[in-house]
Amino acid sequence: MGNALRFSRRSVLRTMTAAGGLGALGAGLPWTPAMAKTLVIGFLYVGPRDDYGYNQAHAEGAAAVKAMPGVKVLEEEKVPETIDVENSMESMINLDGASLLFPTSFGYFDPYVLKEAKKHPDLTFLHCGGLWTPGKHPTNVGSYFGYIDEAEYLSGIVAAYASKSKKLGFVAAKPIPQVLRNINSFTLGARSVDPTITTAVVFTGDWSMPVKEAEAANSLIDQGADVLTCHVDSPKVIVETAEKRGVFCTGYHASQATLAPKGYLTGAEWNWAKVYTDFVKMVQGGIKPPNLVRGGLKEGIIKTSPYGAAVSDAARKHADDVKAKFMDGSFVIYKGPIKDNKGNSVIAEGKSHGQTDIALESMNWLVEGVTGSIS
Amino acid sequence: MRPFLHGAVTRLSATRLSAVLAAPLSALAPPVAAVAVSLALFGAFVALVGVDPVEMYQLMYRGAFGTWFSWQNTLTRAAPLILTALCTALPAQLGLVIIGGEGALVLGALAAAATGMALNGAPAALVLPAMALAGMAGGALLIGGAGALRQWRGVNETISSLLLTYIAIAVLNHMVEGPLKDPSSLNKPSTPPLADAYMIGTLPGSSVHWGLVAGIVCAVAAWVLMRRTTFGFAARMVGGNPRAARMAGLPVGRLLVVTTALAGAAAGLAGMVEVAAVHGRASASLVAGYGSTGILVAFLARQNPLAVIPVAVLFGGIGASGGLLQRRLDLPDASVLVLQGIIFVVLLASEAMRGRLRLFTFARPTAAPKEA
Amino acid sequence: MDHASLGWWGVPLAVLAGAIRVSTPFLFVSLGECLTEKSGRINLGLEGTLVMGAMSGYATAYLTGNPWAGVLVAGLAGSLLGTLHAMICALERVNDIAVGIALMLLGTGLAFFLGKPFIQPQAPQLPSIPFGWWSGSAQVRSALDINPLFLVGLALAPLLLWGLRTTRWGMVLRIVGESAEAARAMGYHINRVRLLATAAGGFFAGVGGSFLSLSYPGSWNERLSSGQGITAVALVIFARWDPVLCVWASLLFGGAGALGPALQSVGVTQGYHLFNAAPYVLTLAIMIATSSSRHRLAGAPAELSVTR
């Protein structure tokens, strides 16, 4: 017991210094100091944690937290977005003494996370993807997400250089804002290289449907698409199908480079390890984590996969230039004039929406150059 | 002694009475023994992958029934299972195998949510019953439809109820992403949230919602209907011997359609409860497998509506302890599936033991009907 | 022509290609189920068998480096589950549908439990035969890149039909399925015949599962089967217990499944959930159109519980 005490004090001292660097992120307010005992942290995943995609990206983050001193990590996978998640969180709190929870699926937020947070005002709930609103949501809830569409924009640039047919294919799960934003950014990136490029989209209807995803990938390739990308929970099948058919692909969620050694160009990846260790250091250091955390390449929440062998020098240079602008915060993807694919103007000339603009989080249009519709 | 016994039943009461009295004992012993054997088998299985079975069962007990919180967790999970199990158990009285509980739940939930949307603003005392009725109608339409197809087109009801489930899920997805979508639901397409006034609360002093009570009431009502009324007697006669029932002039078609519709209504009500007590809206998350687990509950309860209640609690408990197994022992989530599968297989095999053991031979000496 | 788009012509091509790609698991499961049902028993557990086959096949291919060894192991795992089904059903008072549901659960659970370590690695895939070598179009070449298992399935169907109709084994099987009493009177062991039929059915279903993980989509994960196993059981009923009709039913179902994505790839996105449900609607519609309440379905084994 005494040993554990000494151990965690030391770790607190260490994280206090680390927390200094987090000032930009953290509100810096002193908060419930959780010193004397091990911090028990619960992670909840909606799917299997080794899916080569969404859940794996989070589980990799949890693994980084596990390696930190003074913490105990609990993990539960395949928790459905029903009262089950409420019960699982409650069980982690009640039976295992968890005081920091990371429910990592969007659908957990309302009402389950909100309900649990109201019930346990002294515990912290950090939710991935939600949009915390002051006054409306409890203050012990935080939501975090990354502007992964920045990396999709870069993937679009690389894809444009690789494409000969000038047709790109996008396999998506559902027409929701997060997904549409990725489709649009990918397409805008590609069209910044060559405005004649089009992106065809196929929605599979759910987050994990391997047979349908393979079918969608084949259909897109049959329609002439020669670079594929996707937004589904596990891109494995799509990347493998692209490789089998001899077309290029860009990855999503995590790196799938090893699955397609020939055709993998680059990919948009989460860097949850950084986000989660930062959060945990804050809580260990007695700092209240901010309620709304967003960030992209600059903040280190997002990263890109290393370029594959098939990426030309011109493509590398172009993408690296834009990436540098993302890193210094000077690049804006959604800068008017932008038209949707029905010809309506959605962002007027002279108007621009920076990444942090909440308006982008309710996107309901497909940009010019995308074939398909969403309603 | 039983003043409410109906004429049709009293005729048989001499033989049935002893069966009724003996039934609890004989009905209970083999399943309990089977569960015990299953636990031993599953213990051996996890021991093979290096987990201490004793520790595991201690944890499972703790997670399912060990604390007040665990009990609430278990009962919350059991609530929808009772209703979806009835969706299989009721038609089973007629010898039908319905596996469309998931679809009925989903369609019921969608109908209930749409009703809540349409009546938004009206007093809760009007809206909630309307939602419940709509939910039951939605479920009844689907499973009653499978019953009607069986009766008038001879379409196998097991297969059609399954296909209808896939179709119902597609309709749900289509509606919540299209015509019924709340534009502000953003990344989780769903219908607009129900106003707080229309939400069903929890039982006083607990976190268990009223769906549990709805489930128990329905299960008891189903038992009374099937065991204590002419309707139920006729239904079971159809289940025992359809040809004889037809020759006796029983309205087989009507019995079949009404029973399947009632079964669907039970699962549809589960859908309404999910919307009004849990989700507060309809979305793709409604497809959570309660319907398929309900099938197992019904079979383990040997299609007895009353036995459905304890079996649902057992399954709720297994589900509730699954998380603890993952967190403490690093067992995969599929452990729960394996355990359920083993229990089911062993229990079915134990059916054959019934009657072999001397202790149980007094139960149901006359051949039990159905289950060809 | 190399990068040419096919436009609307791509839709029928995709449906055709999809029919070939997607139908194989349906084909194997329905052929296996056909055999089992002809003996008078229904095995709904083939869904679990399919998933178990997919997992064990993938795991074996990964561990041995030989995908054909995977196919074999998948088949053996399937026949093991089939044997279990038959053994439990041979006990008194046991309902074969219930045993099927139980094994669906057990098979799926075991496959998920044991399959965790194999979600990540990449196993070697079954080779395919390039029947489209003559075509200048990449799309046609790809559509005609046919897996040998599909051809095996195609060949198996008429073979089974022939076997059932003319061989002694087939006769015995059909007699057991038509009238257990008659078969018993003739001195056949009902349970032994059904055990063999169910084990063989399980073998086919296991092989069908290995196609999912080793060829198309060619990867093991827990969402691999979206009910293909149990849908294939439905296909047997509407194929009237005729192995050759099972082929057509599987092709139809596979093609219908490819329709949704193909339409979207040319820009028809509206109502995509409903297009995705097309195979189920189609199956149901055909069942309604071809069933009859007056007489037993032609070809239905009389001992089969679902048709009584």
Side-chain angles (χ1 to χ4, degrees):
Chain A
M1 199 56 207
N3 198 9
L5 194 85
R6 206 166 57 233
F7 186 62
S8 60
R9 274 221 182 107
R10 198 176 45 202
S11 69
V12 165
L13 281 177
R14 195 179 329 137
T15 50
M16 284 301 228
T17 48
L22 286 158
L25 265 178
L29 291 166
W31 192 62
T32 27
M35 292 194 196
K37 55 179 200 221
T38 310
L39 178 65
V40 182
I41 307 166
F43 284 89
L44 300 104
Y45 314 114
V46 73
R49 62 189 131 149
D50 35 18
D51 62 358
Y52 247 107
Y54 186 84
N55 298 293
Q56 186 179 329
H58 284 292
E60 281 168 7
V65 172
K66 247 186 228 170
M68 296 170 72
V71 300
K72 189 178 152 203
V73 172
L74 311 166
E75 292 177 277
E76 225 178 293
E77 59 184 337
K78 286 178 94 176
V79 183
E81 294 169 347
T82 64
I83 200 161
D84 282 13
V85 69
E86 199 179 312
N87 282 326
S88 285
M89 283 188 282
E90 186 69 31
S91 175
M92 286 177 167
I93 294 165
N94 224 296
L95 302 178
D96 292 315
S99 60
L100 172 60
L101 288 134
F102 288 99
T104 62
S105 180
F106 183 86
Y108 292 159
F109 192 60
D110 187 9
Y112 313 109
V113 170
L114 297 177
K115 254 160 96 181
E116 279 298 295
K118 275 181 204 138
K119 204 160 146 192
H120 302 281
D122 48 339
L123 307 182
T124 311
F125 297 81
L126 298 173
H127 174 261
C128 178
L131 187 56
W132 184 84
T133 317
K136 187 172 158 200
H137 296 140
T139 53
N140 57 328
V141 171
S143 57
Y144 57 92
F145 203 60
Y147 300 126
I148 198 162
D149 65 317
E150 291 180 350
E152 284 289 345
Y153 188 89
L154 298 176
S155 291
I157 293 175
V158 175
Y161 279 96
S163 175
K164 288 195 186 77
S165 66
K166 303 299 167 201
K167 278 189 152 191
L168 314 178
F170 202 117
V171 182
K174 288 169 182 266
I176 59 171
Q178 275 174 19
V179 174
L180 299 181
R181 188 166 171 177
N182 280 337
I183 297 172
N184 290 341
S185 294
F186 180 75
T187 308
L188 285 169
R191 285 168 70 94
S192 75
V193 177
D194 180 347
T196 63
I197 284 180
T198 57
T199 306
V201 184
V202 173
F203 295 106
T204 59
D206 215 336
W207 294 103
S208 178
M209 310 204 91
V211 175
K212 202 134 266 162
E213 285 157 14
E215 227 12 70
N218 275 312
S219 290
L220 288 167
I221 298 166
D222 284 345
Q223 285 300 331
D226 61 357
V227 186
L228 289 194
T229 191
C230 63
H231 186 164
V232 296
D233 268 1
S234 172
K236 191 178 181 205
V237 162
I238 295 159
V239 168
E240 284 174 341
T241 305
E243 184 79 352
K244 242 185 260 176
R245 295 276 313 253
V247 304
F248 297 113
C249 60
T250 73
Y252 194 64
H253 289 313
S255 174
Q256 289 92 28
T258 51
L259 298 176
K262 283 198 293 252
Y264 194 82
L265 299 172
T266 180
E269 295 179 41
W270 299 104
N271 191 12
W272 295 128
K274 175 183 160 41
V275 179
Y276 289 154
T277 49
D278 283 355
F279 273 137
V280 170
K281 279 175 200 158
M282 271 185 248
V283 173
Q284 281 181 329
I287 299 167
K288 184 185 183 314
N291 293 101
L292 190 63
V293 171
R294 292 288 192 265
L297 290 160
K298 185 182 165 198
E299 291 80 6
I301 296 180
I302 302 302
K303 56 186 180 185
T304 53
S305 316
Y307 297 121
V311 181
S312 67
D313 289 335
R316 280 170 205 247
K317 193 183 170 307
H318 190 157
D320 282 340
D321 285 350
V322 178
K323 190 176 177 182
K325 286 189 199 155
F326 277 125
M327 297 302 279
D328 67 24
S330 66
F331 196 87
V332 178
I333 299 176
Y334 291 97
K335 201 161 98 186
I338 291 181
K339 276 194 202 151
D340 71 8
N341 67 352
K342 294 178 196 134
N344 309 316
S345 164
V346 277
I347 299 174
E349 173 91 59
K351 224 176 136 195
S352 68
H353 295 283
Q355 281 298 54
T356 51
D357 197 332
I358 298 296
L360 294 179
E361 301 203 11
S362 54
M363 193 172 278
N364 62 356
W365 43 270
L366 287 166
V367 76
E368 185 177 19
V370 180
T371 47
S373 74
I374 49 171
S375 55
Chain B
M1 186 178 159
R2 286 173 201 271
F4 54 88
L5 269 188
H6 207 279
V9 184
T10 32
R11 266 188 279 132
L12 276 174
S13 60
T15 47
R16 293 210 58 86
L17 198 62
S18 66
V20 164
L21 292 179
L25 234 186
S26 65
L28 218 62
V32 169
V35 170
V37 170
S38 313
L39 293 182
L41 280 176
F42 183 63
F45 177 75
V46 295
L48 283 180
V49 296
V51 170
D52 177 8
V54 178
E55 190 192 352
M56 179 187 70
Y57 283 126
Q58 278 170 348
L59 270 180
M60 285 190 74
Y61 176 75
R62 192 167 138 75
F65 308 110
T67 68
W68 170 226
F69 158 71
S70 305
W71 263 107
Q72 297 183 71
N73 188 351
T74 297
L75 291 177
T76 317
R77 287 169 197 261
L81 297 182
I82 299 177
L83 288 168
T84 52
L86 290 177
C87 187
T88 299
L90 277 175
Q93 314 294 321
L94 289 127
L96 302 182
V97 180
I98 293 281
I99 55 175
E102 190 85 33
L105 182 146
V106 158
L107 211 59
L110 186 64
T115 308
M117 266 171 88
L119 297 181
N120 195 17
L126 178 78
V127 176
L128 280 173
M131 282 176 67
L133 279 178
M136 292 197 283
L141 190 73
L142 197 82
I143 305 300
L149 284 177
R150 158 83 190 211
Q151 175 59 27
W152 288 298
R153 289 299 312 167
V155 177
N156 175 261
E157 79 286 351
T158 312
I159 309 294
S160 68
S161 62
L162 177 79
L163 294 171
L164 285 168
T165 293
Y166 285 118
I167 297 170
I169 293 172
V171 169
L172 170 83
N173 278 316
H174 179 73
M175 296 306 272
V176 300
E177 278 180 27
L180 296 183
K181 186 183 169 189
D182 171 15
S184 63
S185 63
L186 299 184
N187 289 318
K188 188 185 179 187
S190 47
T191 59
L194 278 184
D196 280 346
Y198 302 151
M199 290 295 286
I200 304 178
T202 54
L203 296 171
S206 78
S207 64
V208 184
H209 58 71
W210 282 94
L212 182 68
V213 175
I216 292 173
V217 168
C218 287
V220 171
W223 184 82
V224 170
L225 177 72
M226 283 301 159
R227 299 292 159 100
R228 290 291 178 267
T229 67
T230 345
F231 179 89
F233 178 71
R236 285 185 300 135
M237 205 164 145
V238 175
N241 189 339
R243 199 167 300 154
R246 213 166 260 131
M247 283 200 287
L250 290 176
V252 177
R254 209 170 64 208
L255 282 167
L256 203 140
V257 173
V258 171
T259 309
T260 46
L262 285 176
L269 184 63
M272 178 269 179
V273 170
E274 281 298 299
V275 167
V278 179
H279 296 255
R281 73 208 72 194
S283 76
S285 311
L286 284 164
V287 186
Y290 294 131
S292 15
T293 314
I295 302 168
L296 308 182
V297 171
F299 272 97
L300 280 197
R302 307 248 292 286
Q303 315 292 1
N304 178 331
L306 276 188
V308 155
I309 301 170
V311 176
V313 172
L314 175 73
F315 271 65
I318 294 178
S321 58
L324 213 54
L325 298 189
Q326 283 192 44
R327 300 192 311 255
R328 296 278 182 87
L329 301 177
D330 215 21
L331 280 169
D333 61 288
S335 316
V336 168
L337 278 182
V338 176
L339 175 58
Q340 289 177 348
I342 293 178
I343 293 181
F344 202 168
V345 170
V346 173
L347 198 98
L348 287 169
S350 79
E351 289 279 286
M353 295 297 134
R354 195 153 51 90
R356 293 262 178 91
L357 301 172
R358 219 55 207 105
L359 179 65
F360 308 117
T361 42
F362 59 85
R364 306 227 210 148
T366 47
K370 74 177 177 288
E371 287 175 39
Chain C
M1 188 67 196
D2 205 28
H3 284 288
S5 149
L6 293 173
W8 278 92
W9 281 109
V11 176
L13 181 73
V15 169
L16 177 74
I20 294 171
R21 282 190 296 247
V22 182
S23 64
T24 309
F26 291 114
L27 181 56
F28 274 89
V29 179
S30 60
L31 288 179
E33 182 67 16
C34 198
L35 201 60
T36 307
E37 290 189 13
K38 274 285 182 193
S39 79
R41 229 179 237 158
I42 187 163
N43 182 4
L44 283 183
L46 290 190
E47 173 71 27
T49 310
L50 181 90
V51 177
M52 194 65 193
M55 190 284 291
S56 56
Y58 196 76
T60 308
Y62 171 68
L63 295 173
T64 64
N66 183 347
W68 291 107
V71 175
L72 184 69
V73 168
L76 292 177
S79 48
L80 214 64
L81 284 173
T83 307
L84 187 61
H85 182 275
M87 279 165 59
I88 299 171
C89 287
L91 302 170
E92 282 171 64
R93 281 193 298 258
V94 175
N95 176 346
D96 53 353
I97 294 184
V99 178
I101 297 172
L103 285 179
M104 191 191 303
L105 192 74
L106 185 66
T108 313
L110 279 176
F112 288 2
F113 192 107
L114 302 171
K116 287 280 174 203
F118 302 103
I119 298 178
Q120 291 273 350
Q122 250 182 325
Q125 298 285 302
L126 291 170
S128 55
I129 306 170
F131 281 100
W133 49 269
W134 48 270
S135 171
S137 148
Q139 289 92 334
V140 172
R141 278 203 304 274
S142 152
L144 293 178
D145 226 12
I146 291 170
N147 189 288
L149 277 183
F150 175 70
L151 301 175
V152 171
L154 280 189
L156 207 56
L159 199 69
L160 274 179
L161 186 68
W162 173 80
L164 281 170
R165 281 211 184 136
T166 54
T167 65
R168 206 180 106 87
W169 273 95
M171 305 275 212
V172 173
L173 189 74
R174 283 191 297 138
I175 292 169
V176 168
E178 283 304 325
S179 166
E181 243 162 72
R184 209 173 283 126
M186 291 162 78
Y188 296 116
H189 294 273
I190 314 284
N191 281 330
R192 198 179 299 161
V193 173
R194 289 185 175 161
L195 185 126
L196 289 173
T198 318
F203 189 92
F204 290 158
V207 170
S210 74
F211 177 88
L212 280 176
S213 62
L214 291 174
S215 175
Y216 191 75
S219 175
W220 159 246
N221 71 58
E222 295 177 6
R223 295 291 300 271
L224 193 56
S225 166
S226 45
Q228 281 100 323
I230 195 147
T231 324
V233 177
L235 291 186
V236 177
I237 295 179
F238 97 65
R240 298 299 163 75
W241 297 271
D242 179 333
V244 172
L245 285 181
C246 282
V247 175
W248 294 111
S250 306
L251 285 172
L252 185 73
F253 207 81
L259 184 66
L263 281 176
Q264 285 197 54
S265 70
V266 292
V268 182
T269 324
Q270 289 98 331
Y272 70 101
H273 282 297
L274 303 181
F275 282 119
N276 286 352
Y280 309 112
V281 177
L282 196 65
T283 311
L284 189 64
I286 293 179
M287 282 183 76
I288 293 172
T290 58
S291 300
S292 163
S293 56
R294 297 229 182 78
H295 45 83
R296 199 154 54 83
L297 291 172
E303 288 279 318
L304 202 62
S305 52
V306 287
T307 56
R308 262 185 272 168

